[in-house]
Amino acid sequence: MNIGIDIGGSHIGIGVVNEDGMIVEKVEKRIMSQEKKNIKKTLETYIAERILELENKYKISKIGMCCPGTILNNIIKKSVNLGIKDYDLAGEISKKINKKIKIRNDCECALIAENKYGCLKNYNRAVFLTLGTGIGGAVIINNQLLDTGNVHGCEFGHMIIEKNGLQCNCGNKGCFEKYGSMKAFKDNLRKALGVDEKTRGQDLIEIIRKDGENKKIKNIIEEYIDNLSIGISNIVNIFEPEVIGIGGSFVFYSDILLEKLKQNIIDKDYLFNPREEINIVTAILGNDAGIIGSANRDVSN
């Protein structure tokens, strides 16, 4: 068995994955604002402790990790939503557990998992987006990851969709992820509803389902869908994939957002090549795709 570790901008998921790509045990943690002030200690301590606990229960062969941002030579060169750069997280944790760890971009790992086991296994050309704290992206062409050289590329979250728009953590203004990420959606919902970050995503889902006709909620959803439609349409116009896969916490809201998203893209005529429908699917592996992909032998070798 292998261990897969998925680090997001506000979440850590760690799972033991068997040879069939199934998670047999998983532990998770939300990263709160206070913990981000000492993010390196938070990551190193929590991950090392959980790995040692899991190694006491299972025979672990390899450990893989994934993280948003640019990964080069097993180093996190830049992860803007975690506020870290030139950071050897894998090396620091390896010292604590005395075992090598391979790290890779999170969206690439999620795409690998979905292409092998999930929603993209029947397609040759696909774009995969992870919608969470930010927006990650990866592309497969003829079942191969798009080769972007020494750095990850496919930073769809940092396409500028609004001139002089909201300030992004990357330093630019108007980036797609400031409007189309699930963090943007949930933060706007919390603000409209007058609640703070302690109100979890599941709580927000329940509020939407119970009070979906609330004008404030409807306005937030409509604005979010349109912003997300613009970014996805740009990507489709460039790559013309057979399918767009969406992972991250968007999956939990798919019954609320997915059909609205597809219909809005068609109704607004955002696509250069018109069509009557657009093929957008959500990750079958849900928010676990990063864990499964990072634990995959092809990634952790």
Side-chain angles (χ1 to χ4, degrees):
M1 293 187 183
N2 295 341
I3 289 178
I5 303 158
D6 182 13
I7 303 167
S10 56
H11 171 265
I12 305 169
I14 304 174
V16 177
V17 183
N18 66 21
E19 293 182 355
D20 297 321
M22 302 290 292
I23 294 177
V24 298
E25 183 172 344
K26 180 175 71 171
V27 293
E28 297 178 281
K29 173 182 174 59
R30 287 181 74 198
I31 305 173
M32 306 303 288
S33 298
Q34 188 66 27
E35 293 175 310
K36 288 187 177 182
K37 295 179 180 179
N38 196 351
I39 188 63
K40 292 182 180 180
K41 181 179 179 181
T42 298
L43 294 174
E44 291 173 19
T45 301
Y46 179 77
I47 293 172
E49 288 178 353
R50 299 295 85 74
I51 289 174
L52 292 173
E53 289 173 359
L54 292 171
E55 284 189 316
N56 285 332
K57 298 171 67 175
Y58 303 94
K59 185 178 179 180
I60 302 299
S61 299
K62 295 181 180 179
I63 301 173
M65 182 187 304
C66 64
C67 172
T70 300
I71 313 296
L72 182 61
N73 297 325
N74 224 44
I75 304 293
I76 302 172
K77 297 301 293 181
K78 179 170 63 176
S79 183
V80 296
N81 287 320
L82 285 168
I84 53 181
K85 62 180 181 178
D86 298 318
Y87 176 34
D88 186 10
L89 174 61
E92 292 300 319
I93 296 174
S94 292
K95 292 176 186 176
K96 298 178 185 295
I97 66 171
N98 196 31
K99 185 170 285 188
K100 182 180 178 181
I101 299 176
K102 178 73 174 179
I103 188 167
R104 192 167 186 169
N105 173 268
D106 61 341
C107 198
E108 286 186 346
C109 287
L111 175 56
I112 288 168
E114 289 292 340
N115 186 229
K116 186 170 183 177
Y117 302 109
C119 67
L120 305 177
K121 65 182 180 180
N122 295 320
Y123 299 96
N124 294 317
R125 301 188 328 278
V127 169
F128 191 74
L129 301 174
T130 51
L131 304 185
T133 302
I135 296 179
V139 176
I140 54 167
I141 299 174
N142 295 326
N143 286 315
Q144 297 293 320
L145 277 171
L146 177 65
D147 184 0
T148 55
N150 289 332
V151 294
H152 165 62
C154 296
E155 290 290 351
F156 302 135
H158 298 287
M159 295 186 298
I160 295 172
I161 67 167
E162 184 70 38
K163 182 181 178 181
N164 297 320
L166 297 171
Q167 181 70 50
C168 182
N169 291 333
C170 75
N172 287 326
K173 292 182 178 180
C175 289
F176 179 31
E177 69 177 39
K178 294 301 294 182
Y179 301 86
S181 68
M182 288 305 294
K183 175 176 171 52
F185 176 62
K186 289 188 279 190
D187 282 352
N188 289 335
L189 269 178
R190 291 186 181 107
K191 184 177 179 180
L193 296 169
V195 298
D196 61 22
E197 71 168 7
K198 293 179 182 177
T199 304
R200 299 170 63 93
Q202 184 59 45
D203 300 324
L204 293 175
I205 293 172
E206 292 174 5
I207 291 170
I208 293 171
R209 287 175 179 157
K210 289 179 180 177
D211 198 13
E213 294 304 310
N214 180 304
K215 187 175 180 181
K216 289 182 180 180
I217 293 175
K218 289 183 73 173
N219 288 342
I220 294 295
I221 291 175
E222 288 174 8
E223 182 180 18
Y224 175 71
I225 287 296
D226 205 41
N227 287 327
L228 189 55
S229 296
I230 291 169
I232 289 178
S233 296
N234 287 337
I235 295 167
V236 172
N237 288 338
I238 294 167
F239 291 100
E240 286 293 349
E242 296 174 89
V243 62
I244 302 100
I246 300 181
S249 57
F250 180 92
V251 172
F252 301 125
Y253 295 78
S254 60
D255 63 313
I256 298 166
L257 301 175
L258 183 58
E259 291 305 317
K260 289 184 174 67
L261 172 64
K262 293 193 286 187
Q263 195 61 50
N264 191 67
I265 291 172
I266 300 301
D267 289 347
K268 296 289 180 67
D269 290 328
Y270 285 141
L271 298 175
F272 180 78
N273 294 310
R275 65 204 74 188
E276 294 183 358
E277 59 182 27
I278 184 168
N279 190 13
I280 303 176
V281 299
T282 52
I284 290 176
L285 304 175
N287 218 20
D288 292 334
I291 292 175
I292 295 168
S294 61
N296 187 281
R297 292 182 181 276
D298 295 335
V299 176
S300 58
N301 280 344

